[in-house]
C-alpha cells in the first residue's frame, strides 16, 4: 500500500470550512489515502495564537509542499493585510493558474467556453506598498519586474505548448502605464519568439473586458499582471456559472497551494448552501499535480454526472441541495475512469 499523501489543509473562514470539508470527503472517496495537517489562518488564528499565519502552518507547507486552502477574509480599507497574498509571496507562488471551463447542463450565455487565465501572483499593485504622503494624499506602488514578467510569460507559453493551446494574449494597459505595463509587454514579446507555433496577441485590459463579453471564444490563454488577473477571473467566472465553479492553483518552484477563485462569501456562510464545485475542481488540479490522474478523473466524472442529472445542485446553479448533499452526490457518482484526459 503506498504511503498516504500529507497535505496541508487551510479550511479558511466564511464558507471555507464547509467547502473544504466537502473536498476532503470527496478526495478520501477516491480511494487514495491522505494525512491532513489542518491549520487556521487570518482573524481566527490571531485570536487563538496571536499570529495571522501561525508558524506551524508555514512549517507544514514547507514540509508537505502541497496545500488545499479555503478562502480567508481580508478586512476592507484597514486591518491586517491579505493572508492569501502573504502566503503566495512567502512561498514565491508566482503563477496563478485559473482554468475557465463549462460543466454540463449549467445554463450560461455561452456554451463550451474553454479559457485559461495565467495571473502573475507576486507583484503589481498587490505589492502592498502604500503610504500617506501628506494628509489627504496616498501613494500605492505598482511594482513590475523583468524577472517576474518573464517568468509568468514563460509559464503561460509552456502551458500552451504542453496542452496544445493555439493562442496566448498578453493583457496590459501599456498605453497609460508605459513603463510598468510596457516592461510586462516587452517580456511577453521576447518569450513569444521562442514559441513560433503559438499565435501571440496583445489586448488592452479594458478592451479585453468588452471583447470577452462579446466573444469569449476568441481567446485561449490570457497572461496578465496580478490586479488585471484578479478582476478578469471574476468576469470569466460568469461564463461558466459563477464563482462557485472556478478553481485556481498557485504554483511555484517548490510548492503549490490550491484554492478556489471565490472568497469567503459571508452572505451565505454557515448555511450549508455554498457550491463546493470550485474547491472540488481545486482538488482535481491538486491530484493532477500529484500525478494521480485516475483519481482526478473520478472526481471529474462525479462532478459531470452530478451536473448532468441535476438532482443535487446547489442554489447558485438552480438547484435546492446543500453543500454536503452535493458532495454526497459527487461521491456516489464517481466511477473508475476508462481513459485519462487533461480536459479540465
Ligand atoms: P466572494 O467571492 O466571497 O463572494 C461574491 C459573491 O459570490 C457572493 O454573492 C457570494 O455569495 C457568491 N459566492 C462566492 N462563492 C460561492 C460559492 N462557492 N457558492 C455560491 N456562491 C458563491 O467575494 P467578496 O464578497 O468580494 O469577498 C468576501 C471576502 O472574501 C473578502 O474578505 C475578501 O477579501 C475575501 N476573498 C478571499 C479570497 C481568497 O481567500 N483567495 C479571494 C477573494 C476574496
Amino acid at each position: 500500500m503506498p504511503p498516504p499523501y500529507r497535505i496541508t489543509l487551510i479550511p479558511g473562514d466564511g464558507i471555507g470550512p464547509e467547502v473544504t470539508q466537502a473536498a476532503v470527503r470527496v478526495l478520501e472517496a477516491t480511494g487514495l489515502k491522505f494525512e491532513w495537517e489542518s491549520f487556521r489562518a487570518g482573524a481566527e488564528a490571531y485570536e487563538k495564537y496571536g499570529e495571522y499565519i501561525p508558524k506551524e502552518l508555514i512549517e507544514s507547507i514547507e514540509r508537505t509542499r502541497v496545500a488545499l486552502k479555503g478562502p480567508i477574509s481580508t478586512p476592507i480599507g484597514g486591518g491586517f493585510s491579505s493572508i492569501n497574498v502573504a502566503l503566495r509571496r512567502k512561498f514565491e507562488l508566482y503563477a496563478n493558474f485559473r482554468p475557465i471551463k463549462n460543466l454540463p447542463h449549467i445554463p450560461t450565455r455561452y456554451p463550451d467556453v474553454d479559457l485559461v487565465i495565467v495571473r502573475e501572483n507576486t507583484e503589481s499593485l498587490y505589492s502592498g506598498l502604500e503610504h500617506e504622503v501628506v494628509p489627504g494624499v496616498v501613494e500605492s506602488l505598482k511594482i513590475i519586474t523583468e524577472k517576474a514578467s518573464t517568468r509568468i510569460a514563460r509559464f503561460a507559453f509552456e502551458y500552451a505548448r504542453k496542452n496544445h493551446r493555439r493562442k496566448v494574449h498578453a493583457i496590459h494597459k501599456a498605453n497609460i502605464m508605459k513603463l510598468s505595463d510596457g516592461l510586462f509587454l516587452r517580456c511577453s514579446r521576447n518569450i513569444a519568439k521562442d514559441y513560433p507555433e503559438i499565435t501571440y496577441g496583445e489586448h488592452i485590459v479594458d478592451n479585453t473586458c468588452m471583447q470577452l463579453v462579446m466573444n469569449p471564444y476568441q481567446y485561449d490563454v490570457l497572461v496578465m499582471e496580478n490586479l488585471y488577473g484578479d478582476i478578469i477571473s471574476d468576469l470569466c467566472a460568469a461564463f461558466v456559472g459563477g464563482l462557485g465553479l472556478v478553481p485556481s492553483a498557485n504554483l511555484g518552484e517548490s510548492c503549490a497551494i490550491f484554492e478556489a477563485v471565490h472568497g469567503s462569501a459571508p452572505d451565505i456562510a454557515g448555511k450549508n448552501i455554498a457550491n463546493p464545485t470550485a474547491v472540488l475542481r481545486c482538488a482535481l488540479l491538486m491530484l493532477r499535480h500529484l500525478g494521480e490522474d485516475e483519481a482526478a478523473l473520478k472526481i471529474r466524472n462525479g462532478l459531470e454526472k452530478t451536473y448532468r442529472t441535476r438532482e443535487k445542485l446547489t442554489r447558485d446553479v438552480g438547484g435546492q441541495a446543500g453543500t454536503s448533499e452535493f458532495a454526497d452526490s459527487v461521491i456516489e457518482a464517481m466511477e473508475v475512469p476508462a481513459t485519462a484526459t487533461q480536459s479540465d
Side-chain angles (χ1 to χ4, degrees), residues 15 69 71-74 84 243-244 259 262-268 275:
I15 60 170
K69 175 184 166 298
I72 299 173
S73 305
T74 309
N84 313 305
L243 280 166
E259 64 179 336
H262 65 70
S264 56
D267 52 335
I268 56 168
N275 188 343

Side-chain angles (χ1 to χ4, degrees), residues 33-312:
K33 295 275 173 260
F34 296 93
E35 271 179 23
W36 303 100
E37 299 189 6
S38 182
F39 296 92
R40 295 285 174 178
E44 282 184 9
Y46 191 77
E47 269 172 34
K48 211 165 161 189
Y49 311 107
E51 287 173 300
Y52 290 108
I53 307 181
K55 73 174 182 327
E56 290 80 3
L57 166 57
I58 299 291
E59 287 164 2
S60 171
I61 298 176
E62 281 167 353
R63 204 167 41 244
T64 63
R65 298 183 178 280
V66 181
L68 183 63
K69 175 184 166 298
I72 299 173
S73 305
T74 309
I76 293 172
F80 61 88
S81 303
S82 167
I83 305 304
N84 313 305
V85 174
L87 285 171
R88 293 168 195 165
R89 275 226 217 96
K90 165 78 192 157
F91 293 102
E92 191 117 15
L93 302 170
Y94 67 89
N96 193 325
F97 171 77
R98 300 182 153 187
I100 310 283
K101 192 167 162 56
N102 287 99
L103 277 158
H105 302 294
I106 302 177
T108 54
R109 196 169 291 269
Y110 296 102
D112 303 323
V113 171
D114 186 6
L115 297 174
V116 170
I117 294 171
V118 175
R119 167 182 174 188
E120 202 291 321
N121 224 8
T122 59
E123 51 183 36
S124 164
L125 282 167
Y126 276 68
S127 62
L129 296 171
E130 287 191 315
H131 69 119
E132 189 171 58
V133 183
V134 290
V137 181
V138 294
E139 189 173 41
S140 191
L141 298 182
K142 169 164 170 160
I143 307 292
I144 298 286
T145 64
E146 186 177 337
K147 180 183 167 207
S149 304
T150 301
R151 187 168 65 172
I152 199 68
R154 177 74 69 195
F155 179 96
F157 277 95
E158 274 300 303
Y159 171 80
R161 177 173 276 170
K162 285 191 190 126
N163 292 278
H164 312 291
R165 297 274 181 167
R166 294 160 295 111
K167 285 190 272 188
V168 173
H169 276 87
I171 308 305
H172 67 95
K173 190 77 185 174
N175 49 331
I176 303 298
M177 280 162 274
K178 293 176 194 296
L179 282 183
S180 54
D181 283 21
L183 174 60
F184 184 85
L185 269 192
R186 271 204 312 285
C187 296
S188 301
R189 283 176 198 160
N190 278 342
I191 295 295
K193 289 182 198 144
D194 296 341
Y195 300 82
E197 78 281 16
I198 296 166
T199 306
Y200 172 65
E202 295 171 353
H203 277 173
I204 293 176
V205 62
D206 39 346
N207 176 36
T208 306
C209 294
M210 191 273 290
Q211 295 288 347
L212 275 163
V213 173
M214 296 290 279
N215 174 18
Y217 305 116
Q218 65 185 295
Y219 294 110
D220 195 351
V221 176
L222 298 99
V223 60
M224 61 200 83
E225 56 94 301
N226 213 337
L227 182 63
Y228 307 155
D230 183 41
I231 296 167
I232 287 193
S233 301
D234 276 31
L235 186 155
C236 288
F239 291 135
V240 295
L243 280 166
L245 295 133
V246 183
S248 86
N250 299 288
L251 303 167
E253 299 302 337
S254 62
C255 61
I257 299 181
F258 297 85
E259 64 179 336
V261 167
H262 65 70
S264 56
D267 52 335
I268 56 168
K271 298 179 179 164
N272 189 39
I273 58 173
N275 188 343
T277 302
V279 77
L280 292 179
R281 284 175 136 182
C282 293
L284 193 158
L285 293 177
M286 184 182 89
L287 289 175
R288 291 235 175 92
H289 176 80
L290 295 170
E292 294 288 353
D293 288 351
E294 193 170 305
L297 216 71
K298 283 187 189 179
I299 297 186
R300 196 191 81 179
N301 288 350
L303 276 169
E304 288 194 347
K305 200 164 167 195
T306 299
Y307 276 97
R308 205 169 290 116
T309 53
R310 293 196 61 80
E311 282 163 16
K312 299 284 175 181

Side-chain angles (χ1 to χ4, degrees), residues 18-40:
E18 300 162 61
V19 291
T20 50
Q21 181 54 27
V24 165
R25 286 175 50 223
V26 170
L27 279 162
E28 290 183 344
T30 61
L32 295 174
K33 295 275 173 260
F34 296 93
E35 271 179 23
W36 303 100
E37 299 189 6
S38 182
F39 296 92
R40 295 285 174 178

